[in-house]
Amino acid sequence: MMQLRLARNAMANLLAAAIPALVMLVTVPLVVRGLGEAGYGVYSLVTAIVGYFAVIDINVTAGSVKYIAQHKANDDDDQVAETVSFGLASYGAIGLVGGSGIFVCAGWLVDTVFAVPEALRTDARAALQLAAPGFLFGQMQAYLNSVPQALMRYDMSGRVEIVFGVLVPLATVGVLLLGGGLADVIALRVVASMVHGLILWRTIGRLLPTLRLRWPGAHARAALLRFSGWSFLSRFATLSYAHADKLIIGALAGVTALAYFTVAATLANRVLSLGFRLSGVFFPATSALAATGQLRRLDQTYVKATRYVVFVNAAILALLAVFAYPILAWWMNADFARHGALILAVMALSQFVDSLTSLPSLVNDGMGHPRVSGLFAVTRALVGMVLLYAGIGGWGIVGAAWAHLAGALMFTGAFLVYVHGRTVPTPLGRLLLHGYLPGLAGVGLVSIAAGAAARLLGGSPLDIVLSMGAMMLLLILHGALFVVAPDDRDLAWSRWRTWRRQAGR
């Protein structure tokens, strides 16, 4: 029953990311065309700066998700109310502080720190100042979105996420077609974030009809802050590192180079982050299982989830890496393909390596050990930023991609070796044999065959489409035959027959 519930929540969480990601991929070329390459580079810079200010978030969300799931598993509604109240107050304060900082620093950042062309500086300053209240709304929205997820109702948070994830990119294109500019796009997103938060608050009211805001006692505050303090290290490091490449490129290489890098890196990130959405449901589930002592079930579910998530991510990586140039050429244009094909392939591989830490990190934190993931994340970010600065300084945006991959390989291996058998109750050998090997072996063979076939067939659009189609078919067959567990195949087949019988009546 737990595995079925996890699967449903994972699918809801996946769709909440996949559908907006698809819309984003369709609309990015239109946004780039509407803003111009330099203008899109400034837009990327603005979003990176706003994202960087989120490092002041002490990550009460992590502690809140853990303790809401734990208290709900123990039917303690008062503790749930105290946790939600503390989270709302914390993120309101964080949003006000960060938004004020963005507004005050806008001119200095645009005029002094980054290589923004003179003609775009006025728009960039206005966009940053407009984004300041958006930071407050974004922080509140992020916290409110986590509450249904802590209650294992990803279906409800996912529906809201899909609606806004589809409407906002489409509305952005509409604004640009009507003659709007960068400031208008930012204003649209600020308003959308505010409305998104209000709808989430009403959703929480339906899930927790007896919720009454109440300030938590000293013990509850201490527990939340202790857990969140260590999780903050992980969030701080992740956010710092996630935006460091764009900020360093913006300072050293200019906004046009930033546009080329951002498009390729965003494609790799958005597509491969779908695998993280499959695994994200594991944090509240681990917290609930650990609270009730069901460690054997946790081990079994963790290995099976790893088997599926690793295969999905590896399949996506293979498609992006083998067909990087035609994907960028079709999606954007030949110029972006020339500058970004290698970046897309290397960044996809880097994202895949990083993704191997997602599930073990969630289990580690759900078991109550955020200190471990926090310290690893900080070390990884510090070393990674040194690598990024050296890579960008020496080889430009291609150097940034290779620096990401080097950091991912170093720290993913170290993290996996350390946590398994210590803070994650599963031996690493068991995970490698039953979680990694079934998917990776087949994906590797299919990738080699597809790469060779693409070269032999030629580079016409029809040849590429046939190669991609054959590769996808082989990956699906391998997944169905060698990755999906026999009990899950039997369950799926049983449900399919039941549905056919009911449909035939």
Side-chain angles (χ1 to χ4, degrees):
M1 194 68 182
M2 168 61 77
Q3 290 187 2
L4 185 58
R5 188 182 182 194
L6 275 173
R8 287 172 175 167
N9 276 280
M11 187 55 62
N13 203 30
L14 175 64
L15 290 175
I19 295 174
L22 179 61
V23 176
M24 183 276 297
L25 293 176
V26 171
T27 57
V28 161
L30 301 175
V31 175
V32 173
R33 197 172 301 132
L35 293 174
E37 291 179 4
Y40 186 76
V42 173
Y43 172 67
S44 301
L45 187 62
V46 169
T47 56
I49 291 170
V50 173
Y52 219 88
F53 268 80
V55 298
I56 67 172
D57 177 2
I58 60 174
N59 207 21
V60 173
T61 297
S64 184
V65 169
K66 174 176 172 55
Y67 286 108
I68 289 174
Q70 180 176 308
H71 297 319
K72 195 64 178 176
N74 293 322
D75 296 320
D76 193 338
D77 292 338
D78 289 342
Q79 291 289 328
V80 170
E82 290 184 3
T83 304
V84 172
S85 302
F86 189 73
L88 289 173
S90 299
Y91 280 91
I94 291 167
L96 287 171
V97 171
S100 301
I102 292 169
F103 188 88
V104 170
C105 296
W108 172 70
L109 289 169
V110 170
D111 296 335
T112 306
V113 178
F114 298 107
V116 178
E118 183 69 35
L120 294 173
R121 287 184 182 177
T122 300
D123 286 345
R125 283 192 295 270
L128 261 182
Q129 290 173 338
L130 277 171
F135 182 83
L136 168 61
F137 300 139
Q139 290 295 302
M140 297 299 293
Q141 174 197 322
Y143 179 74
L144 292 169
N145 196 59
S146 73
V147 176
Q149 295 175 354
L151 299 169
M152 295 297 286
R153 290 305 305 268
Y154 284 81
D155 56 325
M156 298 185 75
S157 64
R159 280 197 293 268
V160 180
E161 195 170 352
I162 288 171
V163 169
F164 281 89
V166 170
L167 291 180
V168 171
L170 293 178
T172 299
V173 173
V175 166
L176 293 173
L177 290 175
L178 292 173
L182 178 61
D184 302 295
V185 170
I186 297 296
L188 167 69
R189 291 174 178 267
V190 171
V191 173
S193 183
M194 179 180 66
V195 177
H196 192 163
L198 291 173
I199 293 176
L200 284 170
W201 178 244
R202 294 196 62 184
T203 301
I204 292 169
R206 291 197 296 271
L207 288 173
L208 299 172
T210 61
L211 176 68
R212 298 293 181 271
L213 298 181
R214 49 189 290 173
W215 191 245
H219 178 74
R221 293 199 307 272
L224 274 166
L225 289 173
R226 185 167 53 249
F227 187 94
S228 299
W230 287 112
S231 296
F232 167 67
L233 286 179
S234 181
R235 179 176 175 79
F236 177 86
T238 301
L239 282 172
S240 299
Y241 186 60
H243 298 290
D245 50 8
K246 301 175 185 65
L247 298 181
I248 297 172
I249 291 170
L252 298 182
V255 293
T256 301
L258 178 59
Y260 291 134
F261 180 84
T262 299
V263 166
T266 298
L267 176 59
N269 178 266
R270 284 300 183 95
V271 177
L272 278 159
S273 67
L274 298 178
F276 177 77
R277 297 300 290 258
L278 280 172
S279 59
V281 303
F282 228 77
F283 180 38
T286 299
S287 300
L289 290 171
T292 52
Q294 301 180 68
L295 297 185
R296 184 174 180 182
R297 178 181 290 185
L298 173 61
D299 168 75
Q300 294 171 342
T301 308
Y302 169 59
V303 172
K304 182 179 285 189
T306 298
R307 187 183 182 104
Y308 296 153
V309 171
V310 167
F311 170 70
V312 169
N313 281 344
I316 293 171
L317 160 67
L319 287 165
L320 288 178
V322 172
F323 299 103
Y325 189 94
I327 287 173
L328 280 176
W330 294 343
W331 180 40
M332 301 298 296
N333 55 51
D335 197 30
F336 272 90
R338 282 193 301 272
H339 287 91
L342 179 59
I343 292 169
L344 174 57
V346 176
M347 287 298 292
L349 179 57
S350 172
Q351 291 284 344
F352 170 74
V353 175
D354 274 332
S355 74
L356 298 179
T357 65
S358 296
L359 269 171
S361 294
L362 294 169
V363 174
N364 170 83
D365 290 358
M367 292 293 293
H369 303 286
R371 177 176 177 270
V372 174
S373 53
L375 291 175
F376 263 96
V378 168
T379 307
R380 193 240 194 277
L382 291 174
V383 174
M385 282 190 279
V386 172
L387 293 173
L388 278 172
Y389 194 87
I392 294 167
W395 299 277
I397 56 177
V398 174
W402 286 111
H404 273 294
L405 179 58
L409 290 170
M410 290 167 57
F411 285 93
T412 294
F415 183 77
L416 294 176
V417 170
Y418 183 84
V419 298
H420 287 93
R422 288 187 177 90
T423 61
V424 176
T426 297
L428 181 57
R430 168 170 155 74
L431 186 74
L432 294 175
L433 181 61
H434 299 287
Y436 289 4
L437 185 61
L440 291 182
V443 171
L445 293 174
V446 171
S447 300
I448 294 170
R455 291 186 182 89
L456 290 174
L457 289 174
S460 72
L462 179 59
D463 291 335
I464 293 170
V465 169
L466 290 174
S467 299
M468 291 180 71
M471 184 176 180
M472 292 174 67
L473 179 60
L474 288 173
L475 289 171
I476 291 170
L477 287 174
H478 173 74
L481 295 175
F482 301 105
V483 178
V484 176
D487 57 328
D488 289 338
R489 276 202 302 271
D490 293 341
L491 177 62
W493 180 241
S494 173
R495 289 182 174 275
W496 167 255
R497 286 184 297 181
T498 300
W499 180 83
R500 288 293 301 272
R501 285 198 301 269
Q502 291 174 346
R505 290 176 182 175

